[in-house]
Amino acid sequence: MNFPGNWNTMQLDAQGRLRHFLTVEGLPRRILTDILDTADSFVVVGEQPVKKVPLLRGKTIVNLFFETSTRTRTTFELAAKRLSADVLNINVSTSATAKGESLLDTQKNLEAMHTDMFVVRHQHSGASHFMAQHAAPHVSIINAGDGQHAHPTQAMLDMLTIRRHKGAFDSLCVAIVGDILHSRVARSQIHALNTLGVGEVRVIAPRTLLPVDIESLGTRVFTSLSQGLAGVDVVIMLRLQKERMQSALLPSEHEYFQRYGLTEEKLALARPDALVMHPGPINRGVEIASSVADGPQSVILRQVSYGIAVRMAVMSMAMGRSPGARETAAKEPE
Amino acid sequence: MSETHEDIEVLIKKMAEDLRDHLARSGITDPVMVGIHTGGAWVAERLHRLLDLEQPLGTLDISFYRDDFTRIGLNPQVRPSHLPFDVDGRHVILVDDVLSTGRTVRAALNELFDYGRPATVTLAVLVERDGRELPVQADVTGRHMALRRNQHVKLSGPDPLELKVQDVD
C-alpha cells in the first residue's frame, strides 16, 4: 500500500526519534527495540499498588475511533490514564463527522482545544497518515488500525509477548494463520518480525485469503495447516471476519475450522513449547478450539496485558521528544 | 580529578557508621534500604551489606517521575523499580550517589509514595555538591565537593567504583 511522502520522514523527528506511530514498515530496528525495552518497564507499572506514573500529566489524548473496537480503545485509554494523561473518547456515531464535518475539520477543532495526541482507528487505509500530515507541530498521531493497511501497536504487543516468552528473535520460526489478505495485523506483524530479524516467518491460509505478493514481504507460504505448523515456535492465529464467509471467500465456518482451525492435534505438530497467540476477540470453534485458547501454551490473555504496556511505551516515546538531549537522559545532570 | 576505588570504599564505610549513629539517635530499628538507579544502587549494595539489614535491598528507577521528561525524552534503558517489601509504615533509607539539584530525590520520593506511605525517609548520599534547586538535604553524606557550575561529578561502577569530575560545556 503506497501513500504519498516517506513514512519515516513522517514518523521520526529530525533527531530520529518517534514522533507519530503510523506503521511498523520501514522503521529502524533501533526504534522497535526501544519500544520493546520501554514497554518491558511499563509491564511492572501495571503490577504496582498504584498503577500510574506521572509521565504525561497535563497532556490530553483523544481516542478518535471511527470504527468500533472496545478492546483496543480500552487498552489505549488505560495506557493513557496510567501515564496520568487526560483522555477524551470521541464516539464517531455522535460526532460532528457523522453530520458531514471533514476529518481535517474534526482534527483542527480538537487541536484548537489544546490536545496533544490522537489515537486514530479508521476504516480507510491511510487515515492516520493523512492526519499526521496535517498535525500541529506539538501533536502526535498513533495509528490504532487503518483499513487493511496497518495496526502497529498490535504488532508490537505481539513482538513483546514473543520476546518475553522466547527471548531472542533470530532463532524463531513464527507462523501466522488465517485471513492474511484482509488483515492489517498480519501485515504489521510480518514487517515487525522481519525488522527484528526473526529466523522464519510463515503464513498459512487458503489461497482465497492470501495476497498475491505475500512472498515479497519475506514469508514462506503454506496452504496446509499441518505442513505449515511443523516445527514452529510461535503460532499467531488471526480473527476470521464473518463477512468473508458471506462474500464466498470461504465455504463455511465448519469447513474452515476443519482445515485451518487450531486444535490440540494440529498444535502437536508445532514444537512442544510453541506459543499460541491471537489478537482477539476469539471465534471459538472457528479459528481456534477452546481447549487450545484456554490451554497451557496459550498466551492470549498475556497479550492483552502487554498491549497496555506497549501503548504506554509508544505514547511516552512520542510525547517525550524535543531537540537535544535524549543522550543525557540517563539521569539528571549532577 | 578522581577518587579511587579504595577512597570510595573508605567513604562508604564512614557512611555506614554515620547511618548507624543516625538510626540509633532517631530510634529507628529494622529499616529498609532503597538505592536509586544506577550509582545510588551500587552505593546502597555496599551499605546494605555493611549494615547487615534483614530485608532485601530495593531499587528505584526514577525515569517515569522526572520533571524534565517532555524536554529530554524518556531514557530507553529504564530498569524497572523493585521494592521487595511493604513500604507502608516502614523506615526507609534512600541512597543516591550524588546530590546536586535535588530533583532526582524529589522524583524518588514521589515514586516511593506510590508504593505506600513510609514512616520516615532518611537520605544518604555518597557525594553532596552545591547547586541545589529544591529544598532537599541529606541526613548522611560521604563527602562534600565544592565544584564549579560547569563541573560534573559521575560515579562509574559497579566494580570498581570510581568518582570522576569532568568539565562540561
Side-chain angles (χ1 to χ4, degrees):
Chain A
M1 198 146 313
N2 295 313
F3 296 107
N6 181 321
W7 282 108
N8 285 347
T9 315
M10 301 277 310
Q11 297 199 96
L12 303 180
D13 69 9
Q15 282 74 39
R17 292 167 306 195
L18 198 66
R19 182 182 168 201
H20 306 294
F21 193 37
L22 311 173
T23 175
V24 169
E25 190 179 352
L27 276 181
R29 189 172 181 162
R30 160 185 69 80
I31 293 280
L32 300 195
T33 305
D34 272 5
I35 293 173
L36 297 181
D37 290 346
T38 310
D40 255 332
S41 306
F42 281 123
V43 169
V44 183
V45 172
E47 294 160 359
Q48 286 173 194
V50 176
K51 298 170 187 57
K52 224 170 163 70
V53 292
L55 224 47
L56 297 192
R57 199 161 62 92
K59 301 287 183 193
T60 304
I61 296 176
V62 182
N63 278 333
L64 196 53
F65 275 52
F66 294 86
E67 210 182 56
T68 315
S69 171
T70 309
R71 180 180 308 228
T72 304
R73 189 189 54 71
T74 307
T75 52
F76 268 108
E77 184 175 350
L78 211 48
K81 285 180 171 170
R82 287 192 177 164
L83 292 166
S84 304
D86 295 314
V87 186
L88 218 57
N89 288 311
I90 305 288
N91 184 349
V92 82
S93 62
T94 57
S95 77
T97 313
K99 298 174 194 163
E101 187 177 77
S102 74
L103 177 58
L104 188 56
D105 284 337
T106 305
Q107 177 180 356
K108 289 298 156 193
N109 271 285
L110 288 164
E111 281 184 1
M113 295 175 201
H114 303 290
T115 51
D116 301 285
M117 176 180 279
F118 291 91
V119 175
V120 188
R121 160 74 67 110
H122 204 287
Q123 62 274 27
H124 291 137
S125 304
S128 57
H129 178 267
F130 173 80
M131 287 182 71
Q133 278 179 312
H134 296 93
H138 71 282
V139 170
S140 289
I141 309 289
I142 310 290
N143 183 4
D146 63 331
Q148 293 174 18
H149 171 239
H151 196 349
T153 58
Q154 175 67 45
M156 291 312 294
L157 78 86
D158 295 329
M159 298 307 111
L160 184 67
T161 309
I162 293 171
R163 196 177 79 166
R164 285 180 74 94
H165 286 87
K166 292 285 179 192
F169 287 96
D170 53 355
S171 60
L172 297 180
C173 178
V174 179
I176 305 171
V177 185
D179 184 1
I180 312 288
L181 179 63
H182 301 95
S183 175
R184 56 194 172 204
V185 176
R187 220 171 286 273
S188 293
Q189 285 164 341
I190 292 166
H191 287 303
L193 287 165
N194 283 326
T195 304
L196 290 166
V198 81
E200 184 180 331
V201 184
R202 296 181 185 178
V203 291
I204 308 171
R207 285 252 174 249
T208 49
L209 296 182
L210 278 169
V212 282
D213 59 343
I214 190 69
E215 277 113 336
S216 68
L217 293 182
T219 61
R220 205 170 147 201
V221 177
F222 291 85
T223 51
S224 153
L225 184 61
S226 307
Q227 284 172 17
L229 285 181
V232 304
D233 299 281
V234 179
V235 189
I236 304 177
M237 301 304 294
L238 297 174
R239 181 174 157 74
L240 193 69
Q241 307 288 341
K242 302 269 183 193
E243 58 265 30
R244 307 295 170 230
M245 300 289 174
Q246 287 148 12
S247 62
L249 287 169
L250 292 167
S252 73
E253 286 186 3
H254 177 71
E255 196 171 326
Y256 182 82
F257 184 67
Q258 290 296 315
R259 293 197 58 201
Y260 293 97
L262 190 62
T263 58
E264 288 179 84
E265 297 73 41
K266 297 267 177 55
L267 181 59
L269 299 167
R271 290 177 63 91
D273 59 350
L275 295 182
V276 175
M277 297 168 55
H278 191 296
I282 304 170
N283 286 318
R284 289 170 184 267
V286 179
E287 63 251 358
I288 190 165
S290 273
S291 58
V292 175
D294 304 329
Q297 288 168 255
S298 165
V299 288
I300 294 170
L301 291 177
R302 296 272 181 88
Q303 287 176 263
V304 180
S305 311
Y306 297 154
I308 298 170
V310 159
R311 281 152 187 153
M312 288 171 81
V314 169
M315 285 172 167
S316 56
M317 284 170 68
M319 283 280 95
R321 76 199 146 73
S322 69
R326 179 137 174 202
E327 307 72 44
T328 63
K331 217 174 171 190
E332 78 176 9
E334 293 283 7
Chain B
M1 175 184 166
S2 69
E3 295 260 359
T4 65
H5 176 62
E6 288 71 26
D7 295 335
I8 295 168
E9 295 295 342
V10 170
L11 277 184
I12 293 176
K13 277 188 186 131
K14 178 179 160 288
M15 284 175 73
E17 283 167 29
D18 291 350
L19 259 174
R20 248 190 225 105
D21 291 346
H22 177 88
L23 297 173
R25 274 200 311 279
S26 311
I28 293 172
T29 53
D30 195 25
V32 293
M33 186 172 278
V34 177
I36 302 174
H37 274 306
T38 308
W42 299 333
V43 177
E45 272 168 28
R46 286 158 168 83
L47 286 173
H48 188 267
R49 217 170 25 238
L50 290 167
L51 292 175
D52 200 18
L53 298 182
E54 272 185 28
Q55 296 286 338
L57 178 66
T59 52
L60 281 184
D61 188 311
I62 53 108
S63 298
F64 296 150
Y65 289 76
R66 295 178 61 97
D67 58 13
D68 52 3
F69 158 72
T70 49
R71 199 161 49 83
I72 66 171
L74 190 62
N75 172 18
Q77 300 305 322
V78 180
R79 300 157 198 81
S81 295
H82 176 61
L83 294 182
F85 39 72
D86 193 1
V87 167
D88 251 337
R90 300 305 297 260
H91 295 283
V92 177
I93 304 169
L94 186 63
V95 182
D96 205 2
D97 51 352
V98 180
L99 172 59
S100 173
T101 62
R103 289 176 190 271
T104 298
V105 173
R106 182 209 67 94
L109 287 172
N110 276 12
E111 183 165 5
L112 205 54
F113 274 79
D114 276 356
Y115 283 86
R117 182 183 180 275
T120 62
V121 180
T122 299
L123 179 62
V125 297
L126 179 66
V127 173
E128 177 193 57
R129 62 163 294 179
D130 37 15
R132 212 76 73 246
E133 293 169 6
L134 298 174
V136 173
Q137 64 177 9
D139 299 291
V140 170
T141 304
R143 63 168 293 190
H144 180 83
M145 289 174 112
L147 300 174
R148 293 193 303 276
R149 283 183 73 86
N150 68 335
Q151 285 184 311
H152 180 84
V153 57
K154 189 170 168 51
L155 182 71
S156 59
D159 205 14
L161 289 177
E162 196 177 0
L163 265 178
K164 275 191 181 156
V165 176
Q166 291 166 329
D167 288 336
V168 285
D169 297 328

